[in-house]
Amino acid sequence: MAKNQNLTGEVYYPAPEIVEQVHIQDFEAVHQQAMADLPGFWGQIAAENFEWYAPWEQVLDDSNAPFYKWFVGAKVNLVHNALDRHQRTAIRNKAALIFEGEQGDRRTYTYQQLNHEVCKFASVLRAMGVKKSDRVTIYMGRIPELMIAMLACAKIGAIHSVVYGGFSTEALHDRIEDSASKVLITCDGSRLRGKIIELKKIANEAVDRAGTIQTVICIKRTGQEVEMVPGRDHWYHDLMNLPIADPNAPTEVMDAEDPIFILYTSGTTGKPKAILHTHGGYMVGTATTLKWVFDIKPEDVWWCAADPGWITGHSYIVYSPLVVGATSFMYEGAPTYPYPDRWWHLVARYGITILYTAPTAIRGLMRFGENWPERHDLSSLRLLGSVGEPINPEAWRWYYRVIGREKCPIMDTWWQTETGNFMITPLPSMPLKPGSATRGFPGVEVDVVDEEGNSVPAGEEGYLVIKTPWPAMLRTVYKDPDRYVRQYWSRYAEQGWYLPGDSAKKDEDGYIWVIGRIDDVIKVSGYRLGTAEIESALVSHPAIAEAAVIGVPDELRGNIIKGFCILRQGEEGSERLEKELRDHVGHEIGPIAKPTTVDFVDSLPKTRSGKIMRRVLKAQVLGQDLGDLSTLAD
Ligand code: WT7
């Protein structure tokens, strides 16, 4: 039952009938239990809910922090828990994945069928020489084969590196090369908004630029003509029809701490870095957070509307829903194609019970008005979720009232590629405040602190920190352990706290309000982009000598990108060049990274050591106080 808690501000208390039937009814009690004995807490969860080939000797080894280890000595494979073990129970014949393509084509995979496909593809990869700890790059649209490819890699102990299908040549090339992948899995094309994105063509360009790929496996999705390089390229459907494609392929026995995947994400400086996650801790963390936060029950139809190419999709489309035996829904295309009610149509048609999406999508759909959702029966929905950036209270209320019919609690989940799973999030039994991700998940101690690490008073802005280790935490930056320590653990090294890179406030009830990034990371429509990547794409254009980009607040997309360029001698700024530069960034990184505007300038504000002061540019654009200019060169 909801206790009378008299919280401050705009509060939405959970209905008693919700609290009565959810997995975790008393957050406070569970959190206290976790904090009293963190290894005991996670050890019990791990023992009761998962199958291990061999048990651990130690739940948490913090002797070499921040290189934490979880479930040390245990043998496991996440895919064993996601697929193999369900073959022995009634879950075998349950839908694991329901898929609808943008054109309206539909497919359903039961747990047994999905397992067969994964086994077959795993044995194909093995036959092609892919071994434990080899890297495989996956570059695809949002279709079931993407999931099959990821699971097949994990099953044989290969490390997948999924590159989001909206990225382009240079972004793909960098990630292939950095990971030294031998195999690339892609498709001929993918569909979005009625158009075809030519993935194979982009992949060919990237593979030609990179030297490491020996084999390309191509899935036929759109059926358009593509260039296949003899000896290097193979059709997926041909390989899957060979006798080597074994529907009963064995699962590789892994150490709990063995990597399951790497995933590139943008950081403060330089090229994107690869975040590394593991089989054991990542499995325990993602499955537990999904089950408790979204209260997954056997009858649910779970729709995480993200792309599998991001951490949200890795954790909450591909891995954890299968581990907990849920039915997931996946939709290939754009929310507004062909009409702005496509999503609401899908909710009604498939009886979606839980919808998890991003504020930018909610704001985008809100623009079209209430008539579109009202045309559809959304009564199957019982829980809603939000992720990727702070949700503005206005969008929250719309989501709550129009989509949730004031019956569905909204789980605003704060987390990161690095954290692997939800970190600051309500549970459905907790009172909600629009715009606040509420409290740390049980066992996660969060705080807002100043430079010295003192907790700041309620209402004041400070740095978000995480004070306790958690099983799904990143283990390192792939091939760059120094960067791992420097980026996340050096600011509060003495205290041993993790620094996510966000600013936040805490209110008098202890609720956390995340404000945004404190570094040179820009969130555009929830996508995480580094200023350095976009600037490097801009200066790779022959007309540009120097470039700086900043994020500027935008009602729809959270932020938009503004670029400032110094031209090379003899070049002239024009509207045409501006368009060319935007397209150039689109071609190098992807359409999401295109600056909305590019200004041509004579100089950029820099420190005496030559670092661009983006803060000053931003203050100028927003007409704000320029702040401390003592380090400015001129
Ligand atoms: C950054 C991480 C993990 C899922 C997708 C994003 C921002 C994420 C929220 C939220 C406020 C949020 C933070 C964080 N962020 N969720 N609920 N409220 N901000 O993963 O691409 O690694 O980005 O997204 O700034 O640091 P990501």
Side-chain angles (χ1 to χ4, degrees):
M1 288 294 260
K3 298 191 195 94
N4 189 15
Q5 299 181 53
N6 296 322
L7 299 176
T8 55
E10 183 182 352
V11 186
Y12 293 72
Y13 291 94
E17 54 277 19
I18 290 179
V19 180
E20 261 159 39
Q21 47 96 19
V22 294
H23 283 299
I24 303 297
Q25 300 177 349
D26 189 346
F27 161 81
E28 218 60 68
V30 180
H31 185 50
Q32 273 168 28
Q33 184 206 338
M35 294 309 295
D37 174 13
L38 209 52
F41 174 74
W42 285 112
Q44 190 185 350
I45 289 171
E48 286 174 0
N49 296 283
F50 308 90
E51 285 186 7
W52 306 78
Y53 299 123
W56 49 87
E57 288 138 24
Q58 196 183 4
V59 173
L60 170 63
D61 176 2
D62 56 5
S63 60
N64 190 27
F67 296 95
Y68 292 91
K69 288 184 180 152
W70 285 88
F71 311 109
V72 187
K75 300 285 183 197
V76 71
N77 189 310
L78 196 159
V79 177
H80 173 90
N81 284 274
L83 292 172
D84 305 14
R85 65 165 170 168
H86 298 317
Q87 307 309 315
R88 301 190 307 261
T89 71
I91 295 176
R92 183 163 82 106
N93 294 319
K94 177 180 176 174
L97 178 66
I98 300 171
F99 169 78
E100 184 165 314
E102 201 183 69
Q103 308 281 304
D105 48 314
R106 299 173 199 175
R107 273 189 264 171
T108 299
Y109 293 83
T110 65
Y111 272 84
Q112 185 188 25
Q113 290 166 330
L114 186 63
N115 185 49
H116 274 194
E117 297 303 306
V118 170
C119 283
K120 281 169 69 180
F121 195 47
S123 50
V124 164
L125 290 173
R126 273 191 181 124
M128 304 197 90
V130 180
K131 293 184 302 293
K132 188 169 166 172
S133 81
D134 284 350
R135 274 81 56 217
V136 174
T137 297
I138 303 176
Y139 177 62
M140 287 171 63
R142 198 154 50 220
I143 54 173
E145 286 82 356
L146 172 50
M147 210 159 141
I148 292 166
M150 290 166 72
L151 290 159
C153 287
K155 184 179 171 82
I156 64 171
I159 302 170
H160 61 66
S161 164
V162 180
V163 178
Y164 169 57
F167 275 134
S168 208
T169 317
E170 192 55 27
L172 176 59
H173 161 258
D174 287 349
R175 286 158 176 76
I176 289 174
E177 206 154 71
D178 187 76
S179 63
S181 293
K182 284 196 293 193
V183 176
L184 173 70
I185 306 167
T186 188
C187 10
D188 50 358
S190 72
R191 292 186 190 280
L192 196 66
R193 277 179 213 98
K195 295 202 191 96
I196 286 175
I197 302 170
E198 297 188 86
L199 294 184
K200 181 64 165 74
K201 189 165 163 240
I202 297 169
N204 282 351
E205 280 179 37
V207 170
D208 290 344
R209 283 198 217 174
T212 63
I213 299 286
Q214 292 159 8
T215 305
V216 176
I217 300 173
C218 187
I219 288 126
K220 192 170 255 179
R221 171 66 185 147
T222 54
Q224 96 256 29
E225 258 324 298
V226 292
E227 192 199 330
M228 297 287 282
V229 177
R232 187 195 72 183
D233 299 0
H234 307 270
W235 286 108
Y236 175 85
H237 57 263
D238 287 342
L239 299 171
M240 292 289 271
N241 280 327
L242 295 174
I244 49 158
D246 172 9
N248 297 304
T251 303
E252 195 78 27
V253 174
M254 307 295 286
D255 282 333
E257 280 291 303
D258 277 336
I260 182 164
F261 64 79
I262 54 175
L263 183 57
Y264 284 84
T265 190
S266 301
T268 300
T269 51
K271 301 242 168 195
K273 51 187 190 276
I275 302 303
L276 185 141
H277 284 289
T278 57
H279 272 267
Y282 176 80
M283 168 183 77
V284 172
T286 53
T288 308
T289 48
L290 176 68
K291 191 165 146 191
W292 290 6
V293 174
F294 285 103
D295 190 50
I296 302 287
K297 302 264 169 62
E299 60 274 21
D300 276 313
V301 183
W302 159 249
W303 183 11
C304 168
D307 192 280
W310 304 105
I311 192 68
T312 311
H314 279 55
S315 298
Y316 297 110
I317 297 176
V318 180
Y319 289 117
S320 69
L322 295 176
V323 172
V324 304
T327 295
S328 277
F329 173 70
M330 181 196 276
Y331 165 59
E332 177 185 37
T336 51
Y337 186 85
Y339 300 108
D341 63 345
R342 182 66 184 268
W343 270 20
W344 316 129
H345 208 122
L346 293 170
V347 167
R349 176 183 296 148
Y350 295 99
I352 306 293
T353 58
I354 313 169
L355 173 65
Y356 182 43
T357 184
T360 191
I362 299 161
R363 289 193 297 262
L365 291 162
M366 200 172 135
R367 269 194 316 176
F368 294 101
E370 293 173 29
N371 286 346
W372 292 100
E374 269 166 12
R375 245 177 246 174
H376 300 276
D377 176 9
L378 305 181
S379 62
S380 57
L381 288 170
R382 69 177 186 96
L383 275 175
L384 299 172
S386 172
V387 63
E389 54 180 325
I391 180 166
N392 48 313
E394 202 191 333
W396 195 101
R397 289 183 208 113
W398 188 85
Y399 196 27
Y400 186 74
R401 182 174 55 81
V402 180
I403 307 307
R405 306 147 350 266
E406 302 184 351
K407 287 197 185 88
C408 307
I410 299 176
M411 303 295 106
D412 177 0
T413 60
W414 177 94
W415 58 298
Q416 308 179 293
T417 307
E418 291 86 342
T419 68
N421 63 206
F422 311 145
M423 296 297 282
I424 306 174
T425 173
L427 303 175
S429 55
M430 285 162 64
L432 307 171
K433 300 187 186 189
S436 169
T438 75
R439 313 270 306 266
F441 186 80
V444 177
E445 196 187 339
V446 281
D447 202 358
V448 181
V449 301
D450 64 16
E451 291 283 346
E452 281 75 51
N454 308 305
S455 298
V456 302
E460 263 177 46
E461 187 171 340
Y463 300 111
L464 187 68
V465 290
I466 295 164
K467 298 185 170 178
T468 41
W470 63 103
M473 64 200 301
L474 77 162
R475 294 305 191 268
T476 189
V477 171
Y478 182 63
K479 292 197 306 194
D480 200 350
D482 291 345
R483 190 164 174 186
Y484 167 69
V485 177
R486 208 181 333 121
Q487 177 109 27
Y488 304 105
W489 302 95
S490 63
R491 173 81 66 98
Y492 299 107
E494 229 164 90
Q495 298 94 329
W497 298 339
Y498 171 83
L499 183 81
D502 279 18
S503 60
K505 286 181 191 174
K506 224 164 48 174
D507 67 18
E508 51 263 60
D509 300 318
Y511 274 46
I512 306 281
W513 300 73
V514 175
I515 297 165
R517 300 291 308 187
I518 53 170
D519 52 12
D520 289 321
V521 167
I522 310 177
K523 280 259 157 175
V524 180
S525 301
Y527 296 115
R528 177 165 161 183
L529 296 161
T531 50
E533 297 159 74
I534 305 167
E535 288 162 3
S536 116
L538 284 169
V539 293
S540 74
H541 187 281
I544 301 305
E546 278 189 80
V549 304
I550 56 167
V552 177
D554 177 76
E555 223 168 83
L556 185 63
R557 285 171 283 184
N559 291 284
I560 53 167
I561 301 164
K562 280 189 181 289
F564 299 87
C565 291
I566 302 179
L567 293 164
R568 279 179 195 263
Q569 206 123 56
E571 297 289 343
E572 226 168 283
S574 65
E575 246 171 66
R576 218 179 104 199
L577 182 60
E578 183 181 2
K579 181 174 183 302
E580 200 177 304
L581 287 167
R582 296 179 63 245
D583 290 343
H584 179 69
V585 174
H587 182 261
E588 293 294 301
I589 307 176
I592 48 169
K594 279 188 182 180
T596 306
T597 60
V598 180
D599 286 4
F600 301 105
V601 295
D602 297 327
S603 68
L604 291 167
K606 283 188 196 161
T607 62
R608 282 183 211 104
S609 59
K611 266 184 79 183
I612 296 170
M613 295 178 80
R614 298 189 188 83
R615 169 180 73 75
V616 173
L617 268 178
K618 192 164 171 172
Q620 254 173 344
V621 169
L622 299 176
Q624 292 169 345
D625 177 22
L626 298 186
D628 180 7
L629 294 178
S630 57
T631 56
L632 193 68
D634 59 347

